[in-house]
Amino acid sequence: MCVHTTPCPDSTSDARDLAAVVSSHPEQGWSLLCNGVVLFDDDGELLPDGSAVADHHEWRAPGLVPA
């Protein structure tokens, strides 16, 4: 799907949400990425095969480093 000079991560990659946005709908809370992933404002994802991925990020306060 991606035709950028530097290809975006594939939809099966762990970095899939770093792909370029091709259609943004902030009023509806979602964006379509060039790899076919729909990224939601709550960081959930809908993959091209129809499977859903819940928020899988580990959020930390700025400045905190794991011991």
Side-chain angles (χ1 to χ4, degrees), residues 35-54:
N35 57 7
V37 172
V38 177
L39 181 63
F40 295 96
D41 284 353
D42 67 357
D43 289 317
E45 301 167 356
L46 184 61
L47 304 182
D49 66 2
S51 60
V53 178

Side-chain angles (χ1 to χ4, degrees), residues 56-67:
H56 58 282
H57 297 96
E58 189 174 322
W59 301 107
R60 298 175 189 225
L64 293 181
V65 180

Side-chain angles (χ1 to χ4, degrees), residues 1 5 8 13 17 19 21 27 32 37 41-42 45 48 56 59:
M1 250 187 219
T5 304
C8 290
S13 166
D17 55 342
V21 174
E27 72 284 357
L32 175 64
V37 172
D41 284 353
D42 67 357
E45 301 167 356
H56 58 282
W59 301 107

